[in-house]
Structure formats: C-alpha cells, structure tokens
Amino acid sequence: MTQKKKTRVAILGTGNIGTDLLIKAMRSDYLECTLFAGRNFRSDGMQQATKLGVNISDRGIDAIVEQADNIDLVFDATSAAAHLEHWPVLQKLGKTVIDMTPAKVGELCVPAINSQDVCGGGASNINMITCGGQASVPIANAIGAVQKDIEYIEVASSIASRSAGPATRANLDEYIETTEQALIRFSGAKTAKAILILNPARPPIDMQTTIYAKIQNPDLAAIRASVDEMMARIIAYVPGYQLIVPPTIEGGKVMTTVKVLGNGDYLPRYAGNLDIINCAAIGVAEDMARMGKE
C-alpha cells in the first residue's frame, strides 16, 4: 500500500509561532513544509529553518504567490492587520489558510469542538482564535453543554511576558474581541469577558487560565463530568494541558483553572500559550490531510 502524499504547507511569518510551527510540521506524518517565508534572513527563525534544510524566502506573501504551485495550505503566523492584507491574495490563489492571528476573518475553530465540521465543511479560511481561546473555550463549551443558563463567562489568562512577542502585543485589542466572541459562540453564554495578563516574573511562569461562569443553578457533578470528557479530547493534541483546579463553586460562580506546558520544540516549556495554539493548528491541518482536503 503506497503512502498518501503529504499536504504541502507554507508558513508565513518566521517569529516564535512560525518557527515552532515549522518544527511541529516537520515531525508530522501528514504535512511537508515547502516554504518558510518572512522578511529577515538574519532572524532566529530563518536561521533555524536554514539549519533544517527548509526552503526559505525573505519576500513574505510575494514568495507564496511565486511558489503557489508547490503549496496546498498556508499557515499565516503574522499579525491580525497583516492577515487582512494577506487573505485576499491567498483567496485569489485558491489556498486553504489556517490563520494564527485574531483577525477572525474565517471560521473559528477549536479542534476538540469542531475540527471535523470545519474541515469537512469546505472552509478555506480557518481562524485559530487566540492562545487564551484555545485554552479556555473548550472548557466553556463543556460547561455550556450541560448548563443552558450561563449568564456570564469570564476568562483570565496569565502568561510569561517573555512568551509574548511583538505580534502578540500588537494584537491585544483583537485578542480580547476574538476570544470573547468565541466564548459566547461555543458556550452559549449571554456575555463574556477575556483578560490577558503578561507576567514579568523571573523565572517565567507557566501559562495558566481560569474560567468563571455565572450560572443560576449549577449542576456541579454534570459540569465536572463534561469537563473531564473535554479534557481527554484536548490532551489528545495538547499533551501539556492540565486541569489544576477542577470545577468548583466560588463566590456564586463556577470556577476552574487549567495550566498549559509546552512541548519544548522550539519554544521553552513555559510558553504553553504559544504551544497550545500551534498544536491546535497542526491538529486541524492533519485532520484536513486525513480527509483529503487541501
């Protein structure tokens, strides 16, 4: 039996997220990185790609246009503002795009919730929400699956300041808006609030996210069972995802806390915020490859 041809991917953006994506894509049985495109050959990401023997370019989106025939899928790991410029170009080329920015142009996706639906539904632009969204939305969804009366949901994510690069800092407004939109959509809550805390502590802290849900008559046993089921789905593609405070009642709200440790591929393990969104994106790309969508 011959092995199915791998899906050829291009990574646009050679910062922390793009470089870590590259390492993960190279390890995949379903993906092959045919282009790593940025703006600076001297960047750490470009140097890493060179050592790995990957085809690189400093022409950004223009390189994807020039090498389009050798690309099936594009990861856009730049910024929300840049993605708004990139998408019309990539759409014209007929490329499937996994957007790592909070631009929310495409279908919002959390693999544990709707990867199969998104991949099977013909979406050509898939948005990975935010790092805090990937950590919190599945838990919010699990609560919403057994509680239909969520009045309000709040999510507070603390990450190491050192794991927040220039694009993350430039996208803070979009981060808040996109995370809140995803929380409402996937939990059914009437309103939502997202908070991101950049902690400058040394040594750097691990990513930690606390979810609060205001519910009139919470069924704690049902919520815990639903969250446990969701945890199993998340850990399948994010091994470092941990439930450190099970759902409990605190101050009239259901509260639970998760922590994310990274794989330590290109990024340090404390950068779980970047690792979780990359693991999610690779998971979606592999689902597409398995389903034969490019």
mmCIF file of all heavy atoms in Angstrom, residues 216-267:
data_model
loop_
_atom_site.group_PDB
_atom_site.id
_atom_site.type_symbol
_atom_site.label_atom_id
_atom_site.label_comp_id
_atom_site.label_asym_id
_atom_site.label_seq_id
_atom_site.Cartn_x
_atom_site.Cartn_y
_atom_site.Cartn_z
ATOM 1 N N GLN A 216 -27.212 30.256 37.335
ATOM 2 C CA GLN A 216 -28.224 30.346 38.403
ATOM 3 C C GLN A 216 -28.253 29.092 39.275
ATOM 4 O O GLN A 216 -28.189 29.169 40.493
ATOM 5 C CB GLN A 216 -29.607 30.581 37.777
ATOM 6 C CG GLN A 216 -29.845 32.003 37.334
ATOM 7 C CD GLN A 216 -30.132 32.944 38.497
ATOM 8 O OE1 GLN A 216 -29.721 32.715 39.630
ATOM 9 N NE2 GLN A 216 -30.838 34.021 38.237
ATOM 10 N N ASN A 217 -28.374 27.934 38.655
ATOM 11 C CA ASN A 217 -28.473 26.680 39.414
ATOM 12 C C ASN A 217 -27.482 25.662 38.855
ATOM 13 O O ASN A 217 -27.867 24.738 38.128
ATOM 14 C CB ASN A 217 -29.900 26.130 39.334
ATOM 15 C CG ASN A 217 -30.918 27.073 39.943
ATOM 16 O OD1 ASN A 217 -30.886 27.329 41.144
ATOM 17 N ND2 ASN A 217 -31.812 27.600 39.108
ATOM 18 N N PRO A 218 -26.205 25.819 39.165
ATOM 19 C CA PRO A 218 -25.199 24.938 38.568
ATOM 20 C C PRO A 218 -25.309 23.492 39.055
ATOM 21 O O PRO A 218 -25.525 23.239 40.235
ATOM 22 C CB PRO A 218 -23.882 25.565 39.019
ATOM 23 C CG PRO A 218 -24.214 26.327 40.257
ATOM 24 C CD PRO A 218 -25.610 26.823 40.063
ATOM 25 N N ASP A 219 -25.182 22.575 38.107
ATOM 26 C CA ASP A 219 -25.125 21.147 38.409
ATOM 27 C C ASP A 219 -23.650 20.768 38.384
ATOM 28 O O ASP A 219 -23.099 20.431 37.336
ATOM 29 C CB ASP A 219 -25.920 20.363 37.365
ATOM 30 C CG ASP A 219 -25.972 18.871 37.662
ATOM 31 O OD1 ASP A 219 -25.113 18.384 38.425
ATOM 32 O OD2 ASP A 219 -26.846 18.196 37.108
ATOM 33 N N LEU A 220 -23.001 20.845 39.531
ATOM 34 C CA LEU A 220 -21.550 20.682 39.592
ATOM 35 C C LEU A 220 -21.103 19.294 39.134
ATOM 36 O O LEU A 220 -20.085 19.154 38.446
ATOM 37 C CB LEU A 220 -21.050 20.965 41.005
ATOM 38 C CG LEU A 220 -19.550 21.236 41.152
ATOM 39 C CD1 LEU A 220 -19.108 22.401 40.279
ATOM 40 C CD2 LEU A 220 -19.203 21.507 42.615
ATOM 41 N N ALA A 221 -21.861 18.269 39.475
ATOM 42 C CA ALA A 221 -21.481 16.905 39.068
ATOM 43 C C ALA A 221 -21.507 16.775 37.546
ATOM 44 O O ALA A 221 -20.592 16.195 36.942
ATOM 45 C CB ALA A 221 -22.428 15.890 39.705
ATOM 46 N N ALA A 222 -22.537 17.318 36.914
ATOM 47 C CA ALA A 222 -22.642 17.250 35.451
ATOM 48 C C ALA A 222 -21.531 18.072 34.801
ATOM 49 O O ALA A 222 -20.954 17.661 33.782
ATOM 50 C CB ALA A 222 -24.009 17.749 34.997
ATOM 51 N N ILE A 223 -21.235 19.238 35.375
ATOM 52 C CA ILE A 223 -20.172 20.087 34.826
ATOM 53 C C ILE A 223 -18.831 19.376 34.910
ATOM 54 O O ILE A 223 -18.056 19.358 33.949
ATOM 55 C CB ILE A 223 -20.118 21.438 35.576
ATOM 56 C CG1 ILE A 223 -21.350 22.278 35.233
ATOM 57 C CG2 ILE A 223 -18.839 22.202 35.224
ATOM 58 C CD1 ILE A 223 -21.498 23.524 36.081
ATOM 59 N N ARG A 224 -18.535 18.770 36.038
ATOM 60 C CA ARG A 224 -17.248 18.072 36.202
ATOM 61 C C ARG A 224 -17.122 16.914 35.218
ATOM 62 O O ARG A 224 -16.065 16.692 34.638
ATOM 63 C CB ARG A 224 -17.103 17.582 37.640
ATOM 64 C CG ARG A 224 -16.808 18.696 38.623
ATOM 65 C CD ARG A 224 -16.592 18.182 40.035
ATOM 66 N NE ARG A 224 -16.116 19.245 40.929
ATOM 67 C CZ ARG A 224 -15.879 19.084 42.223
ATOM 68 N NH1 ARG A 224 -16.097 17.894 42.784
ATOM 69 N NH2 ARG A 224 -15.432 20.096 42.938
ATOM 70 N N ALA A 225 -18.197 16.159 35.036
ATOM 71 C CA ALA A 225 -18.156 15.032 34.094
ATOM 72 C C ALA A 225 -17.933 15.537 32.672
ATOM 73 O O ALA A 225 -17.157 14.948 31.900
ATOM 74 C CB ALA A 225 -19.452 14.238 34.178
ATOM 75 N N SER A 226 -18.595 16.637 32.304
ATOM 76 C CA SER A 226 -18.446 17.196 30.959
ATOM 77 C C SER A 226 -17.043 17.734 30.742
ATOM 78 O O SER A 226 -16.444 17.543 29.672
ATOM 79 C CB SER A 226 -19.489 18.309 30.752
ATOM 80 O OG SER A 226 -19.447 18.799 29.429
ATOM 81 N N VAL A 227 -16.486 18.394 31.754
ATOM 82 C CA VAL A 227 -15.121 18.925 31.650
ATOM 83 C C VAL A 227 -14.109 17.786 31.542
ATOM 84 O O VAL A 227 -13.152 17.857 30.755
ATOM 85 C CB VAL A 227 -14.801 19.841 32.851
ATOM 86 C CG1 VAL A 227 -13.306 20.138 32.934
ATOM 87 C CG2 VAL A 227 -15.589 21.147 32.752
ATOM 88 N N ASP A 228 -14.302 16.725 32.303
ATOM 89 C CA ASP A 228 -13.394 15.569 32.218
ATOM 90 C C ASP A 228 -13.398 14.971 30.810
ATOM 91 O O ASP A 228 -12.347 14.593 30.280
ATOM 92 C CB ASP A 228 -13.796 14.497 33.233
ATOM 93 C CG ASP A 228 -13.423 14.875 34.668
ATOM 94 O OD1 ASP A 228 -12.606 15.813 34.839
ATOM 95 O OD2 ASP A 228 -13.955 14.238 35.601
ATOM 96 N N GLU A 229 -14.573 14.887 30.210
ATOM 97 C CA GLU A 229 -14.672 14.351 28.851
ATOM 98 C C GLU A 229 -13.947 15.266 27.855
ATOM 99 O O GLU A 229 -13.237 14.794 26.965
ATOM 100 C CB GLU A 229 -16.144 14.219 28.460
ATOM 101 C CG GLU A 229 -16.357 13.638 27.074
ATOM 102 C CD GLU A 229 -17.825 13.589 26.687
ATOM 103 O OE1 GLU A 229 -18.691 13.687 27.579
ATOM 104 O OE2 GLU A 229 -18.100 13.451 25.476
ATOM 105 N N MET A 230 -14.112 16.564 28.032
ATOM 106 C CA MET A 230 -13.432 17.518 27.159
ATOM 107 C C MET A 230 -11.925 17.459 27.356
ATOM 108 O O MET A 230 -11.154 17.556 26.383
ATOM 109 C CB MET A 230 -13.941 18.927 27.433
ATOM 110 C CG MET A 230 -13.303 20.012 26.558
ATOM 111 S SD MET A 230 -13.604 19.789 24.786
ATOM 112 C CE MET A 230 -15.332 20.265 24.673
ATOM 113 N N MET A 231 -11.472 17.294 28.584
ATOM 114 C CA MET A 231 -10.034 17.207 28.859
ATOM 115 C C MET A 231 -9.381 16.096 28.033
ATOM 116 O O MET A 231 -8.292 16.269 27.486
ATOM 117 C CB MET A 231 -9.791 16.951 30.351
ATOM 118 C CG MET A 231 -10.021 18.144 31.256
ATOM 119 S SD MET A 231 -8.846 19.495 30.969
ATOM 120 C CE MET A 231 -7.295 18.666 31.287
ATOM 121 N N ALA A 232 -10.045 14.952 27.952
ATOM 122 C CA ALA A 232 -9.489 13.823 27.197
ATOM 123 C C ALA A 232 -9.311 14.187 25.729
ATOM 124 O O ALA A 232 -8.327 13.796 25.090
ATOM 125 C CB ALA A 232 -10.391 12.603 27.344
ATOM 126 N N ARG A 233 -10.251 14.957 25.181
ATOM 127 C CA ARG A 233 -10.151 15.369 23.779
ATOM 128 C C ARG A 233 -9.011 16.357 23.558
ATOM 129 O O ARG A 233 -8.314 16.301 22.550
ATOM 130 C CB ARG A 233 -11.477 15.988 23.326
ATOM 131 C CG ARG A 233 -12.567 14.976 23.038
ATOM 132 C CD ARG A 233 -13.761 15.662 22.411
ATOM 133 N NE ARG A 233 -14.855 15.787 23.363
ATOM 134 C CZ ARG A 233 -15.893 16.579 23.192
ATOM 135 N NH1 ARG A 233 -15.977 17.359 22.128
ATOM 136 N NH2 ARG A 233 -16.859 16.619 24.089
ATOM 137 N N ILE A 234 -8.831 17.279 24.489
ATOM 138 C CA ILE A 234 -7.783 18.293 24.342
ATOM 139 C C ILE A 234 -6.404 17.665 24.474
ATOM 140 O O ILE A 234 -5.498 17.940 23.675
ATOM 141 C CB ILE A 234 -7.953 19.409 25.393
ATOM 142 C CG1 ILE A 234 -9.319 20.077 25.271
ATOM 143 C CG2 ILE A 234 -6.849 20.454 25.241
ATOM 144 C CD1 ILE A 234 -9.665 20.968 26.446
ATOM 145 N N ILE A 235 -6.232 16.809 25.462
ATOM 146 C CA ILE A 235 -4.919 16.205 25.719
ATOM 147 C C ILE A 235 -4.455 15.372 24.533
ATOM 148 O O ILE A 235 -3.251 15.186 24.315
ATOM 149 C CB ILE A 235 -4.970 15.369 27.018
ATOM 150 C CG1 ILE A 235 -5.127 16.308 28.230
ATOM 151 C CG2 ILE A 235 -3.722 14.517 27.170
ATOM 152 C CD1 ILE A 235 -5.429 15.592 29.531
ATOM 153 N N ALA A 236 -5.393 14.902 23.712
ATOM 154 C CA ALA A 236 -5.029 14.113 22.536
ATOM 155 C C ALA A 236 -4.128 14.899 21.584
ATOM 156 O O ALA A 236 -3.308 14.313 20.872
ATOM 157 C CB ALA A 236 -6.284 13.649 21.804
ATOM 158 N N TYR A 237 -4.256 16.241 21.551
ATOM 159 C CA TYR A 237 -3.384 17.029 20.676
ATOM 160 C C TYR A 237 -2.561 18.078 21.420
ATOM 161 O O TYR A 237 -1.668 18.687 20.834
ATOM 162 C CB TYR A 237 -4.202 17.685 19.544
ATOM 163 C CG TYR A 237 -5.278 18.662 19.977
ATOM 164 C CD1 TYR A 237 -5.022 20.024 20.063
ATOM 165 C CD2 TYR A 237 -6.569 18.211 20.271
ATOM 166 C CE1 TYR A 237 -6.017 20.916 20.447
ATOM 167 C CE2 TYR A 237 -7.567 19.107 20.645
ATOM 168 C CZ TYR A 237 -7.288 20.454 20.736
ATOM 169 O OH TYR A 237 -8.272 21.337 21.116
ATOM 170 N N VAL A 238 -2.858 18.295 22.716
ATOM 171 C CA VAL A 238 -2.041 19.196 23.550
ATOM 172 C C VAL A 238 -1.643 18.422 24.806
ATOM 173 O O VAL A 238 -2.296 18.520 25.848
ATOM 174 C CB VAL A 238 -2.821 20.476 23.945
ATOM 175 C CG1 VAL A 238 -1.876 21.486 24.612
ATOM 176 C CG2 VAL A 238 -3.502 21.117 22.747
ATOM 177 N N PRO A 239 -0.569 17.635 24.736
ATOM 178 C CA PRO A 239 -0.197 16.770 25.863
ATOM 179 C C PRO A 239 0.053 17.526 27.171
ATOM 180 O O PRO A 239 -0.126 16.963 28.251
ATOM 181 C CB PRO A 239 1.085 16.084 25.371
ATOM 182 C CG PRO A 239 1.013 16.165 23.881
ATOM 183 C CD PRO A 239 0.325 17.458 23.580
ATOM 184 N N GLY A 240 0.461 18.800 27.077
ATOM 185 C CA GLY A 240 0.777 19.562 28.280
ATOM 186 C C GLY A 240 -0.394 20.273 28.925
ATOM 187 O O GLY A 240 -0.210 21.081 29.837
ATOM 188 N N TYR A 241 -1.610 19.978 28.474
ATOM 189 C CA TYR A 241 -2.813 20.629 29.011
ATOM 190 C C TYR A 241 -3.212 19.937 30.308
ATOM 191 O O TYR A 241 -3.384 18.719 30.338
ATOM 192 C CB TYR A 241 -3.929 20.530 27.973
ATOM 193 C CG TYR A 241 -5.120 21.424 28.220
ATOM 194 C CD1 TYR A 241 -5.141 22.728 27.744
ATOM 195 C CD2 TYR A 241 -6.241 20.950 28.891
ATOM 196 C CE1 TYR A 241 -6.251 23.550 27.933
ATOM 197 C CE2 TYR A 241 -7.348 21.755 29.088
ATOM 198 C CZ TYR A 241 -7.352 23.047 28.617
ATOM 199 O OH TYR A 241 -8.441 23.854 28.801
ATOM 200 N N GLN A 242 -3.364 20.707 31.380
ATOM 201 C CA GLN A 242 -3.635 20.119 32.695
ATOM 202 C C GLN A 242 -4.774 20.855 33.399
ATOM 203 O O GLN A 242 -4.832 22.089 33.370
ATOM 204 C CB GLN A 242 -2.394 20.207 33.585
ATOM 205 C CG GLN A 242 -1.149 19.578 33.021
ATOM 206 C CD GLN A 242 0.084 19.898 33.844
ATOM 207 O OE1 GLN A 242 -0.006 20.154 35.034
ATOM 208 N NE2 GLN A 242 1.239 19.889 33.203
ATOM 209 N N LEU A 243 -5.643 20.106 34.043
ATOM 210 C CA LEU A 243 -6.684 20.676 34.891
ATOM 211 C C LEU A 243 -6.126 20.742 36.302
ATOM 212 O O LEU A 243 -5.925 19.721 36.948
ATOM 213 C CB LEU A 243 -7.941 19.802 34.848
ATOM 214 C CG LEU A 243 -9.158 20.300 35.637
ATOM 215 C CD1 LEU A 243 -9.731 21.561 35.003
ATOM 216 C CD2 LEU A 243 -10.229 19.206 35.698
ATOM 217 N N ILE A 244 -5.837 21.951 36.792
ATOM 218 C CA ILE A 244 -5.202 22.053 38.115
ATOM 219 C C ILE A 244 -6.191 22.426 39.221
ATOM 220 O O ILE A 244 -5.921 22.179 40.394
ATOM 221 C CB ILE A 244 -4.003 23.024 38.110
ATOM 222 C CG1 ILE A 244 -4.418 24.430 37.693
ATOM 223 C CG2 ILE A 244 -2.903 22.506 37.185
ATOM 224 C CD1 ILE A 244 -3.291 25.445 37.822
ATOM 225 N N VAL A 245 -7.329 23.011 38.851
ATOM 226 C CA VAL A 245 -8.415 23.239 39.813
ATOM 227 C C VAL A 245 -9.704 22.750 39.157
ATOM 228 O O VAL A 245 -10.219 23.399 38.241
ATOM 229 C CB VAL A 245 -8.553 24.727 40.204
ATOM 230 C CG1 VAL A 245 -9.715 24.901 41.184
ATOM 231 C CG2 VAL A 245 -7.268 25.264 40.803
ATOM 232 N N PRO A 246 -10.239 21.601 39.572
ATOM 233 C CA PRO A 246 -11.480 21.093 38.986
ATOM 234 C C PRO A 246 -12.620 22.084 39.233
ATOM 235 O O PRO A 246 -12.543 22.918 40.141
ATOM 236 C CB PRO A 246 -11.712 19.779 39.735
ATOM 237 C CG PRO A 246 -10.381 19.410 40.302
ATOM 238 C CD PRO A 246 -9.690 20.697 40.601
ATOM 239 N N PRO A 247 -13.682 22.003 38.436
ATOM 240 C CA PRO A 247 -14.812 22.908 38.628
ATOM 241 C C PRO A 247 -15.309 22.897 40.070
ATOM 242 O O PRO A 247 -15.510 21.837 40.667
ATOM 243 C CB PRO A 247 -15.865 22.360 37.667
ATOM 244 C CG PRO A 247 -15.065 21.705 36.579
ATOM 245 C CD PRO A 247 -13.884 21.105 37.281
ATOM 246 N N THR A 248 -15.487 24.090 40.617
ATOM 247 C CA THR A 248 -15.967 24.253 41.990
ATOM 248 C C THR A 248 -16.825 25.506 42.054
ATOM 249 O O THR A 248 -16.860 26.288 41.109
ATOM 250 C CB THR A 248 -14.792 24.326 42.979
ATOM 251 O OG1 THR A 248 -15.281 24.298 44.316
ATOM 252 C CG2 THR A 248 -13.972 25.589 42.760
ATOM 253 N N ILE A 249 -17.507 25.705 43.154
ATOM 254 C CA ILE A 249 -18.316 26.906 43.336
ATOM 255 C C ILE A 249 -17.531 27.886 44.193
ATOM 256 O O ILE A 249 -17.087 27.543 45.296
ATOM 257 C CB ILE A 249 -19.670 26.598 44.015
ATOM 258 C CG1 ILE A 249 -20.429 25.511 43.255
ATOM 259 C CG2 ILE A 249 -20.499 27.879 44.122
ATOM 260 C CD1 ILE A 249 -20.866 25.896 41.878
ATOM 261 N N GLU A 250 -17.360 29.087 43.681
ATOM 262 C CA GLU A 250 -16.609 30.111 44.417
ATOM 263 C C GLU A 250 -17.269 31.471 44.184
ATOM 264 O O GLU A 250 -17.389 31.912 43.040
ATOM 265 C CB GLU A 250 -15.151 30.146 43.956
ATOM 266 C CG GLU A 250 -14.300 31.160 44.690
ATOM 267 C CD GLU A 250 -12.860 31.160 44.214
ATOM 268 O OE1 GLU A 250 -12.129 30.202 44.535
ATOM 269 O OE2 GLU A 250 -12.473 32.105 43.498
ATOM 270 N N GLY A 251 -17.708 32.104 45.245
ATOM 271 C CA GLY A 251 -18.321 33.413 45.132
ATOM 272 C C GLY A 251 -19.552 33.437 44.252
ATOM 273 O O GLY A 251 -19.802 34.425 43.544
ATOM 274 N N GLY A 252 -20.316 32.363 44.274
ATOM 275 C CA GLY A 252 -21.525 32.296 43.468
ATOM 276 C C GLY A 252 -21.284 31.986 42.005
ATOM 277 O O GLY A 252 -22.213 32.052 41.193
ATOM 278 N N LYS A 253 -20.052 31.647 41.646
ATOM 279 C CA LYS A 253 -19.722 31.307 40.264
ATOM 280 C C LYS A 253 -19.050 29.935 40.210
ATOM 281 O O LYS A 253 -18.391 29.507 41.161
ATOM 282 C CB LYS A 253 -18.772 32.341 39.647
ATOM 283 C CG LYS A 253 -19.307 33.759 39.582
ATOM 284 C CD LYS A 253 -18.286 34.666 38.906
ATOM 285 C CE LYS A 253 -18.775 36.108 38.843
ATOM 286 N NZ LYS A 253 -18.785 36.758 40.166
ATOM 287 N N VAL A 254 -19.211 29.266 39.071
ATOM 288 C CA VAL A 254 -18.440 28.052 38.811
ATOM 289 C C VAL A 254 -17.049 28.486 38.373
ATOM 290 O O VAL A 254 -16.903 29.342 37.494
ATOM 291 C CB VAL A 254 -19.096 27.188 37.723
ATOM 292 C CG1 VAL A 254 -18.202 25.999 37.370
ATOM 293 C CG2 VAL A 254 -20.461 26.707 38.169
ATOM 294 N N MET A 255 -16.022 27.942 38.997
ATOM 295 C CA MET A 255 -14.645 28.336 38.702
ATOM 296 C C MET A 255 -13.791 27.102 38.458
ATOM 297 O O MET A 255 -13.929 26.088 39.144
ATOM 298 C CB MET A 255 -14.066 29.139 39.871
ATOM 299 C CG MET A 255 -12.663 29.705 39.614
ATOM 300 S SD MET A 255 -11.314 28.528 39.967
ATOM 301 C CE MET A 255 -11.332 28.501 41.755
ATOM 302 N N THR A 256 -12.931 27.172 37.445
ATOM 303 C CA THR A 256 -11.983 26.090 37.186
ATOM 304 C C THR A 256 -10.727 26.675 36.551
ATOM 305 O O THR A 256 -10.780 27.718 35.889
ATOM 306 C CB THR A 256 -12.618 25.003 36.282
ATOM 307 O OG1 THR A 256 -11.729 23.895 36.176
ATOM 308 C CG2 THR A 256 -12.900 25.538 34.884
ATOM 309 N N THR A 257 -9.594 26.022 36.770
ATOM 310 C CA THR A 257 -8.317 26.544 36.277
ATOM 311 C C THR A 257 -7.539 25.460 35.537
ATOM 312 O O THR A 257 -7.477 24.313 35.993
ATOM 313 C CB THR A 257 -7.446 27.087 37.433
ATOM 314 O OG1 THR A 257 -8.161 28.125 38.107
ATOM 315 C CG2 THR A 257 -6.128 27.639 36.922
ATOM 316 N N VAL A 258 -6.964 25.841 34.408
ATOM 317 C CA VAL A 258 -6.101 24.930 33.645
ATOM 318 C C VAL A 258 -4.716 25.541 33.492
ATOM 319 O O VAL A 258 -4.538 26.757 33.582
ATOM 320 C CB VAL A 258 -6.692 24.627 32.243
ATOM 321 C CG1 VAL A 258 -8.049 23.963 32.360
ATOM 322 C CG2 VAL A 258 -6.788 25.894 31.405
ATOM 323 N N LYS A 259 -3.748 24.679 33.276
ATOM 324 C CA LYS A 259 -2.372 25.107 33.012
ATOM 325 C C LYS A 259 -1.902 24.431 31.735
ATOM 326 O O LYS A 259 -2.307 23.296 31.449
ATOM 327 C CB LYS A 259 -1.446 24.733 34.177
ATOM 328 C CG LYS A 259 -0.001 25.160 33.974
ATOM 329 C CD LYS A 259 0.815 25.020 35.254
ATOM 330 C CE LYS A 259 1.245 23.601 35.509
ATOM 331 N NZ LYS A 259 2.238 23.512 36.626
ATOM 332 N N VAL A 260 -1.069 25.114 30.967
ATOM 333 C CA VAL A 260 -0.549 24.533 29.729
ATOM 334 C C VAL A 260 0.967 24.585 29.733
ATOM 335 O O VAL A 260 1.566 25.664 29.816
ATOM 336 C CB VAL A 260 -1.082 25.275 28.481
ATOM 337 C CG1 VAL A 260 -0.631 24.531 27.212
ATOM 338 C CG2 VAL A 260 -2.597 25.406 28.509
ATOM 339 N N LEU A 261 1.588 23.422 29.650
ATOM 340 C CA LEU A 261 3.034 23.320 29.476
ATOM 341 C C LEU A 261 3.321 23.004 28.016
ATOM 342 O O LEU A 261 2.687 22.128 27.431
ATOM 343 C CB LEU A 261 3.619 22.215 30.359
ATOM 344 C CG LEU A 261 3.746 22.508 31.846
ATOM 345 C CD1 LEU A 261 4.243 21.266 32.578
ATOM 346 C CD2 LEU A 261 4.700 23.667 32.100
ATOM 347 N N GLY A 262 4.273 23.712 27.436
ATOM 348 C CA GLY A 262 4.617 23.473 26.047
ATOM 349 C C GLY A 262 5.408 22.192 25.854
ATOM 350 O O GLY A 262 5.921 21.593 26.808
ATOM 351 N N ASN A 263 5.507 21.771 24.604
ATOM 352 C CA ASN A 263 6.280 20.567 24.272
ATOM 353 C C ASN A 263 7.781 20.796 24.333
ATOM 354 O O ASN A 263 8.565 19.855 24.349
ATOM 355 C CB ASN A 263 5.923 20.079 22.868
ATOM 356 C CG ASN A 263 4.551 19.446 22.801
ATOM 357 O OD1 ASN A 263 4.031 18.969 23.802
ATOM 358 N ND2 ASN A 263 3.948 19.456 21.619
ATOM 359 N N GLY A 264 8.202 22.077 24.284
ATOM 360 C CA GLY A 264 9.625 22.374 24.265
ATOM 361 C C GLY A 264 10.258 22.117 22.917
ATOM 362 O O GLY A 264 11.434 21.756 22.837
ATOM 363 N N ASP A 265 9.498 22.285 21.830
ATOM 364 C CA ASP A 265 10.033 22.037 20.487
ATOM 365 C C ASP A 265 11.026 23.139 20.107
ATOM 366 O O ASP A 265 12.225 22.927 20.122
ATOM 367 C CB ASP A 265 8.892 21.951 19.470
ATOM 368 C CG ASP A 265 8.020 20.729 19.713
ATOM 369 O OD1 ASP A 265 8.568 19.693 20.122
ATOM 370 O OD2 ASP A 265 6.806 20.810 19.502
ATOM 371 N N TYR A 266 10.529 24.322 19.778
ATOM 372 C CA TYR A 266 11.396 25.472 19.539
ATOM 373 C C TYR A 266 11.336 26.431 20.720
ATOM 374 O O TYR A 266 12.318 27.065 21.085
ATOM 375 C CB TYR A 266 10.963 26.199 18.262
ATOM 376 C CG TYR A 266 11.674 27.517 18.036
ATOM 377 C CD1 TYR A 266 13.025 27.544 17.677
ATOM 378 C CD2 TYR A 266 10.999 28.730 18.186
ATOM 379 C CE1 TYR A 266 13.682 28.754 17.481
ATOM 380 C CE2 TYR A 266 11.648 29.942 17.976
ATOM 381 C CZ TYR A 266 12.990 29.951 17.634
ATOM 382 O OH TYR A 266 13.638 31.143 17.437
ATOM 383 N N LEU A 267 10.175 26.486 21.353
ATOM 384 C CA LEU A 267 9.937 27.413 22.450
ATOM 385 C C LEU A 267 10.187 26.741 23.796
ATOM 386 O O LEU A 267 10.075 25.526 23.921
ATOM 387 C CB LEU A 267 8.484 27.893 22.394
ATOM 388 C CG LEU A 267 8.060 28.545 21.079
ATOM 389 C CD1 LEU A 267 6.545 28.654 21.008
ATOM 390 C CD2 LEU A 267 8.704 29.911 20.952
#
